[in-house]
Each structure stands twice: as C-alpha cells, then as structure tokens.
Amino acid sequence: RKEVEQDPGPFNVPEGATVAFNCTYSNSASQSFFWYRQDCRKEPKLLMSVYSSGNEDGRFTAQLNRASQYISLLIRDSKLSDSATYLCVVNGGYNKLIFGAGTRLAVHP
Amino acid sequence: NAGVTQTPKFQVLKTGQSMTLQCAQDMNHEYMSWYRQDPGMGLRLIHYSVGAGITDQGEVPNGYNVSRSTTEDFPLRLLSAAPSQTSVYFCASRLRSRNYGYTFGSGTRLTVV
C-alpha cells in the first residue's frame, strides 16, 4: 500500500463547479499535512497547510480526519486557472515529506 | 529574494558520466531536500539535510551523493549516470518547523542516454 494515495483523475469540470479531492495516508503518526498545486512542467507550489480543525483560504477548503487518516480539498466556483495537478503531502517523520502521485483537474468553459 | 535556484534547467548525459546539480536558497532555511519526479509516481525523496554538515538518505538514494557545507547550498552529485536516472529533479527548502511547507526550485530535467 502506498503511504499517500490519491485518485489520479482526471476530474473534468465546468467553470463554476465545486470539486472535491480525497487523499488517504497510512502513517497514523503523521503530524503535518499539506496540499500542493503543480502546473504542467512546473515545480510544485504550496497551496495550503491542513489543520485538524479544517481551514479555508478563499475558494479552497481543506479538511483532516485523523481517525480515518483522510484529507480532503474542496474547490468552490472553479476557474479555468485552477486546472492543474493537486498533490496531497504528508509529513512522514523527520523532515520526510511524502507526496501522493497527484490528482489532475481540468476546468473547461 | 530569489528563493530556491537550481542549475542547470536541462541536461543530457551519456551513461557513465558524472555531474553535479546545483541548488541554492537565500531564505536562510535550515532544511533542504532533493526529490525526483517520474510520471505516475509522484515525488520521491533522494537525500535531505537538516542543517550545514548534516545529511541523510531518503527513499531512493542509490547512485546519488550530497553534501551541505553551507546553509545556502545543497548540491546533488550523480556518480555514474544510468538511463534509470532520467527524471525531473527538484530541490526544496523550508524552515525547521514542521508546520511550514517546502519551497521548490524550478527543477532540472535530466536525460541519460
């Protein structure tokens, strides 16, 4: 079993749609969690950290369920510019960030 | 503020050649890491460092060496290039606190023929 698992997609959605990505992790001792965004042929960029109580940044909402070892990212009112691959990232221990393979999102007009 | 700078951006090597991928950051970050990214596999950790003079192996360290003589620089050396090392390499850095995510360089696309 992979340490961090994501649905690879692609998710094809129209502009304005709400889309949710899920991620599961295997190490129950993990302490910090992130969502990154990666555009084609570019470096990953931090989208947001994920806190236990859930957190929101504009149109983006992240949730963490430690009991189920599950992380989610909700994007509301999708824009064309949201088209990218979204990477779920878990701190697997001493400086070891473990990346999921990513979920691809394509937003169309 | 340049962030994380990687050079070169592209490189083609012949099997058996050696080379060094350069990485420098100007944010005074304690932690630095090297990842490789292959299609469908996500980013995999090669080596990491928690400070000058301290390095350790990640998930896929074979065929690579690193050193960290200064806080700013973290070069990755390929000892004897193999086609299996064809990949995109990313260097990343962050502050010590685990609540901070990594800042990535723009990557080096390496092809070994």
Side-chain angles (χ1 to χ4, degrees):
Chain A
R1 181 187 172 188
K2 292 182 180 178
E3 291 189 68
V4 178
E5 296 207 58
Q6 296 182 250
D7 182 339
F11 284 58
N12 293 300
V13 302
E15 276 186 290
T18 296
V19 61
F21 304 137
N22 302 320
C23 167
T24 58
Y25 61 95
S26 60
N27 185 353
S28 60
S30 298
Q31 293 294 320
S32 45
F33 310 88
F34 308 91
W35 283 101
Y36 276 74
R37 169 197 170 123
Q38 187 172 25
D39 294 291
C40 188
R41 300 179 72 82
K42 297 287 189 180
E43 72 273 22
K45 292 186 177 177
L46 180 64
L47 181 65
M48 58 196 303
S49 301
V50 185
Y51 301 118
S52 296
S53 55
N55 49 297
E56 187 174 305
D57 183 1
R59 297 182 293 109
F60 299 84
T61 301
Q63 297 279 352
L64 168 64
N65 183 323
R66 287 187 185 272
S68 302
Q69 296 179 207
Y70 171 96
I71 305 162
S72 66
L73 176 68
L74 184 76
I75 305 175
R76 292 181 299 278
D77 189 22
S78 297
K79 312 290 185 191
L80 293 175
S81 57
D82 293 334
S83 298
T85 297
Y86 291 83
L87 307 174
C88 175
V89 184
V90 174
N91 189 328
Y94 193 48
N95 195 43
K96 293 183 179 180
L97 290 188
I98 310 298
F99 285 77
T103 298
R104 195 153 60 89
L105 172 66
V107 182
H108 56 82
Chain B
N1 190 339
V4 180
T5 302
Q6 288 185 238
T7 56
K9 293 192 183 302
F10 302 92
Q11 183 70 50
V12 178
L13 287 179
K14 294 181 179 179
T15 297
Q17 287 185 315
S18 62
M19 79 160 293
T20 299
L21 308 186
Q22 301 292 344
C23 176
Q25 53 91 11
D26 61 359
M27 299 173 284
N28 205 30
H29 285 175
E30 296 95 340
Y31 288 4
M32 295 186 76
S33 294
W34 276 101
Y35 287 85
R36 60 177 288 174
Q37 187 173 33
D38 302 294
M41 298 191 70
L43 285 92
R44 291 182 292 168
L45 181 63
I46 304 171
H47 285 285
Y48 65 97
S49 169
V50 299
I54 306 170
T55 64
D56 206 344
Q57 296 182 351
E59 181 186 357
V60 287
N62 292 339
Y64 308 94
N65 273 355
V66 292
S67 60
R68 184 101 180 265
S69 56
T70 66
T71 299
E72 295 78 19
D73 299 300
F74 191 42
L76 177 73
R77 281 182 290 278
L78 279 70
L79 308 173
S80 177
S84 61
Q85 294 179 304
T86 294
S87 188
V88 181
Y89 291 85
F90 289 104
C91 178
S93 71
R94 70 176 177 93
L95 291 169
R96 185 190 309 272
S97 168
R98 63 187 175 208
N99 293 324
Y100 288 94
Y102 269 109
T103 298
F104 281 81
S106 59
T108 295
R109 294 184 177 274
L110 175 68
T111 301
V112 182
V113 299

